[in-house]
Amino acid sequence: MTFEELLADSRLKSALWENVPTPLYHQVYLYLKEKIHHGDIPHGEKMPTEHQLSEAFGVSRITAKRAMDELAAEGYIVRQRGKGSHVAYKHRAEHLQAPLSALLDSLKVMGQETVVKSLTFARLVPPLDIQERFGTGPDQPLIQSVRLRYADNKPFGYFVSWTREIGELYTEENICKMSRIDIFRKSGIALDKVEQSVTATLSNTDTGAYLEVPVGRPLLVLDRSMFDDSGQLIDHMYALYRPDQYQFEMQFSMK
């Protein structure tokens, strides 16, 4: 895929949403970052101009510039005077296999030992990249949850998740008092596969405020998709963690 093909998609102007805490420039940044990070846009590809981005997404030039500034600050793109901006990131996905039960048990324990504060819980038509992940149409809503997770009264994680309709147990009240893994199980969802990646980013004005860290501090980024036993994507989550409050550990056995 090229950026010309991407920007030609008329759905981009409806890919962003204004009634959630995440600002528009960060939504544009996340959309472009995901395309680059997952290799959909290859290394060396020329980036569109700020004017092209503002036209394609229906946002201001300032919004487009802030999105490009974040991509450049994190090394996803490089700018050269007279030559424009190009993708600098090289996709190097490495796949590891591990028992799903251990991961789900660890998620369940974290849900039991920490406190959740809900920021947003609503049925919304998701942005275009999420529609593509779920295979949904432009009129099909999903459940969006934006929340903070606390340990010892300190925020350590900022989460944005999109979830299919799975039944009456998946409510704002329940996700604040139960682990979502328990809710999935009690709703009859048989989780069969989890795909996740861990990268890094820098806090901006908004995420820094939520996580109570200065702008420009490093954050861990976790991108996780959960599938049921039929192969259907049930839940996608994008999470930002404070590295001074959260550690991601994995154990491997040679047996």
Side-chain angles (χ1 to χ4, degrees), residues 150-216:
Y150 292 77
D152 299 324
N153 295 318
K154 295 181 180 179
F156 73 90
Y158 173 85
F159 305 82
V160 179
S161 61
W162 293 91
T163 311
R164 291 187 187 274
E165 292 281 356
I166 60 171
E168 60 185 14
L169 283 178
Y170 196 71
T171 64
E172 185 172 27
E173 180 182 5
N174 281 344
I175 65 173
C176 290
K177 65 182 182 181
M178 301 170 59
S179 76
R180 294 199 311 139
I181 298 302
D182 273 343
I183 296 176
F184 293 156
R185 287 172 172 166
K186 291 180 179 181
S187 298
I189 304 299
L191 295 174
D192 184 65
K193 183 178 71 170
V194 173
E195 294 179 351
Q196 68 179 25
S197 63
V198 180
T199 55
T201 189
L202 299 176
S203 61
N204 57 42
T205 303
D206 305 284
T207 57
Y210 283 121
L211 293 173
E212 298 179 6
V213 296
V215 173

Side-chain angles (χ1 to χ4, degrees), residues 81-114:
R81 181 167 296 181
K83 295 183 179 180
S85 302
H86 292 77
V87 175
Y89 179 83
K90 292 184 179 180
H91 177 64
R92 306 183 191 87
E94 295 184 10
H95 299 281
L96 300 175
Q97 292 187 339
L100 179 59
S101 58
L103 172 63
L104 296 183
D105 287 342
S106 68
L107 297 178
K108 179 179 178 181
V109 169
M110 183 174 73
Q112 294 171 340
E113 297 180 351
T114 57

Side-chain angles (χ1 to χ4, degrees), residues 6 10 28 32 35 61 73 89 132 138 164 178 185 190 193 198 204 218 224 241-242 248 250:
L6 180 69
S10 61
V28 175
L32 296 174
K35 293 296 183 183
R61 289 281 294 274
Y89 179 83
E132 291 173 350
R164 291 187 187 274
M178 301 170 59
R185 287 172 172 166
K193 183 178 71 170
V198 180
N204 57 42
R224 176 186 295 144
Y241 292 100
R242 286 178 52 167
F248 183 79
M250 299 181 70

Side-chain angles (χ1 to χ4, degrees), residues 8-136:
D9 194 328
S10 61
R11 297 175 295 171
L12 281 182
K13 289 190 176 179
S14 61
L16 310 180
W17 63 104
E18 298 183 358
N19 57 340
V20 297
T22 308
L24 290 176
Y25 80 89
H26 199 64
Q27 294 181 48
V28 175
Y29 151 79
L30 289 175
Y31 184 88
L32 296 174
K33 177 181 176 179
E34 178 168 300
K35 293 296 183 183
I36 295 171
H37 179 73
H38 290 287
D40 294 333
I41 305 297
H43 173 263
E45 177 72 19
K46 186 173 182 179
M47 291 286 295
T49 65
E50 293 166 5
H51 174 73
Q52 289 174 315
L53 285 177
S54 66
E55 287 288 321
F57 283 96
V59 297
S60 69
R61 289 281 294 274
I62 295 175
T63 296
K65 183 179 184 303
R66 290 191 70 181
M68 292 281 278
D69 287 345
E70 290 214 358
L71 290 171
E74 295 187 20
Y76 280 90
I77 65 173
V78 292
R79 289 167 165 167
Q80 294 178 296
R81 181 167 296 181
K83 295 183 179 180
S85 302
H86 292 77
V87 175
Y89 179 83
K90 292 184 179 180
H91 177 64
R92 306 183 191 87
E94 295 184 10
H95 299 281
L96 300 175
Q97 292 187 339
L100 179 59
S101 58
L103 172 63
L104 296 183
D105 287 342
S106 68
L107 297 178
K108 179 179 178 181
V109 169
M110 183 174 73
Q112 294 171 340
E113 297 180 351
T114 57
V115 176
V116 173
K117 176 184 177 181
S118 177
L119 302 176
T120 300
F121 188 90
R123 286 164 175 80
L124 302 169
V125 174
L128 184 57
D129 60 317
I130 300 298
Q131 292 179 32
E132 291 173 350
R133 282 179 179 266
F134 281 84
T136 57

